[in-house]
Amino acid sequence: MSDRDATKVVSAGRRAEWTQGIVNPPVWRASTILYDSVADLRAAAGPDTHHRLFYGRRGTPTQWSLADALTELEPGAEATFLYPSGVAAIAAALLTVLSPGDELLCVDSAYDPTRSLANGLLGRMGIATRFYDPLIGAGIADLIGERTRAILLESPGSLTFEVQDIPAITAVASARGVTTLLDNTWATPLLFRAVEHGVDYSILACTKYVVGHSDVMLGSVTAAPGRFAALRDTSHQLGQVASPDDAWLGSRGLRTMAVRLAQHGASALQVARWLSTRAEVGEVLHPAFSSCPGHEIFARDFRGPSGLFAFALRGGREASRAAFIDALRLFGIGYSWGGYESLAIPVDPARHRSVTRPVFAGPLVRLQIGLEHPDDLIADLDQAFAAAHACGD
Ligand SMILES: *Cc1c(COP(=O)(O)O)cnc(C)c1O
């Protein structure tokens, strides 16, 4: 993260004509926009109503402000479209670039609902998906065929945290005329600059770090130059619109994202280092650890870590993993992440793979490290190990 990013998250998207002198861009709720005359109503129509009041589904300054802020945070980007969830953002981006008969190359470590979309709706539309090894790098060239239209990347990988060589993959893709889409939710543009690394569409589940408070569903796709019109048109046809209230909460969360991410990252590293000293722990799956596949790429391309990682309970069984997680007091048990509070869940990546099968020393636990004091989180994990031992493991 650079100081300029900390400044940008404070100022981005706060155009005077949208804020009207108020610090936070207010909530502009609308369906109907009233015109002065039939001539004005006709003049407002057209496919490109970007930053122009037309009809509520095309947004108001509340959504435009957040979308603009996300574009400003992604150097080299053209524009951003918002969605009511991260999955909606992934679906809209894929439907923008894929047509029946096309093939998608999807990283094998992708977020599970992304796999479901590829195997479900996309398959039904006659779009084939081939999954590929997250560590494939420039070797992706061998998989690109006549029908390959798009490559979906996610780095680090969901659940297992392998880091992809994104510049190598985007270089091959652009030379072959294949579009690249990256799920950049873990890093956000503050820790990984997608467009600068050659990505065509950078996708965020804003539900996580942008919102930051576990109370809103929101997604975004930020397009590289020349890529926005197609995204906008497909998203309009799909009827996609994020609510102004949710966009407002997203903007509110964004203002503190730089300081939150820095703290999440530092605390998670401290907890991960402590875990790596414990006899109960096998692998620690954290991109900042040299043992993590792709660590050298992480060190080269990322500006730092965020707060989500996993570890293996050495030799543990299903019951001992559940006993360990159940014994945690500060960590909540629940899906999602990126909020201010810590979370722990059991994860089983083997269920969501088709071409790679990483093997670990025991069952995995995924931790989202929140903004509590890391010493308190470590004490909580320590007592949970003791409680799990007392349960007979
Ligand atoms: C949570 C998540 C999503 C989906 O976001 P939602 O807002 O929950 O739909 C997409 N990608 C990753 C990596 C996620 O963790």
Side-chain angles (χ1 to χ4, degrees):
M1 222 182 289
S2 73
D3 292 342
R4 288 214 46 212
D5 286 335
T7 305
K8 266 197 226 164
V9 299
V10 170
S11 60
R14 288 170 53 203
R15 289 197 196 181
E17 71 264 34
W18 296 340
T19 55
Q20 314 241 340
I22 297 167
V23 173
N24 294 328
V27 181
W28 298 52
R29 285 195 201 89
S31 56
T32 298
I33 309 295
L34 298 172
Y35 299 93
D36 288 341
S37 65
V38 171
D40 281 355
L41 177 126
R42 292 247 158 84
D48 184 7
T49 51
H50 197 49
H51 292 178
R52 201 149 50 76
L53 283 173
F54 168 67
Y55 176 56
R57 195 175 345 96
R58 300 276 175 98
T60 69
T62 314
Q63 291 106 320
W64 304 338
S65 175
L66 176 59
D68 249 37
L70 294 171
T71 306
E72 267 188 67
L73 290 175
E74 184 68 65
E78 181 184 358
T80 299
F81 204 99
L82 299 181
Y83 302 87
S85 74
V87 167
I90 294 166
L94 287 170
L95 290 170
T96 295
V97 298
L98 293 164
S99 300
D102 290 345
E103 181 188 64
L104 167 70
L105 299 179
C106 181
V107 67
D108 206 25
S109 52
Y111 180 60
D112 185 35
T114 303
R115 295 180 70 94
S116 303
L117 172 66
N119 292 329
L121 177 66
L122 297 186
R124 217 149 38 72
M125 291 174 54
I127 297 160
T129 298
R130 248 173 112 181
F131 291 94
Y132 67 87
D133 184 335
L135 303 176
I136 199 165
I140 195 88
D142 299 337
L143 299 187
I144 295 176
E146 290 267 291
R147 296 169 46 188
T148 309
R149 185 81 48 201
I151 302 173
L152 189 116
L153 307 106
E154 185 178 330
S155 182
S158 263
L159 313 184
T160 42
F161 301 92
E162 301 91 333
V163 181
Q164 293 195 256
D165 193 340
I166 293 172
I169 293 173
T170 57
V172 169
S174 87
R176 303 282 293 270
V178 174
T179 303
T180 50
L181 309 97
L182 169 70
D183 185 332
N184 198 27
T185 300
W186 186 89
T188 83
L190 299 192
L191 300 176
F192 181 80
R193 295 181 161 186
V195 172
E196 278 187 354
H197 286 91
V199 170
D200 297 315
Y201 291 106
S202 179
I203 305 166
L204 295 182
C206 298
T207 306
K208 313 291 167 55
Y209 287 125
V210 173
V211 166
H213 295 73
S214 305
D215 48 9
V216 177
M217 305 296 298
L218 207 58
S220 67
V221 180
T222 298
R227 303 277 179 179
F228 184 69
L231 177 75
R232 178 201 67 207
D233 292 349
T234 299
S235 302
H236 283 170
Q237 286 162 30
L238 289 168
Q240 287 293 14
V241 56
S243 94
D245 296 83
D246 291 348
W248 182 81
L249 282 162
S251 286
R252 194 173 156 127
L254 184 72
R255 305 305 168 196
T256 57
M257 188 167 79
V259 286
R260 283 187 287 107
L261 261 185
Q263 189 61 55
H264 285 297
S267 295
L269 207 49
Q270 188 181 331
V271 172
R273 288 197 176 119
W274 178 81
L275 283 167
S276 70
T277 67
R278 296 288 304 206
E280 299 92 336
V281 172
E283 297 84 356
V284 175
L285 310 179
H286 187 304
F289 279 42
S290 58
S291 54
C292 183
H295 163 73
E296 61 298 337
I297 293 164
F298 174 78
R300 183 191 70 191
D301 295 345
F302 285 65
R303 294 160 167 242
S306 68
L308 189 78
F309 68 96
F311 67 95
L313 273 174
R314 187 186 294 284
R317 296 183 309 274
E318 182 66 42
S320 51
R321 174 171 66 174
F324 169 76
I325 294 174
D326 288 349
L328 292 165
R329 292 170 189 151
L330 288 177
F331 288 81
I333 304 170
Y335 292 115
S336 201
W337 47 280
Y340 57 82
E341 84 296 3
S342 291
L343 297 168
I345 53 167
V347 293
D348 299 294
R351 289 190 194 163
H352 315 293
R353 295 283 181 141
S354 37
V355 296
T356 51
R357 300 226 172 262
V359 174
F360 303 107
L364 300 186
V365 177
R366 192 185 75 180
L367 297 181
Q368 125 85 7
I369 300 301
L371 301 178
E372 303 89 343
H373 198 291
D375 291 345
D376 289 332
L377 296 175
I378 286 170
D380 192 28
L381 292 161
D382 194 29
Q383 66 79 27
F385 281 129
H389 281 311
C391 290
D393 198 72

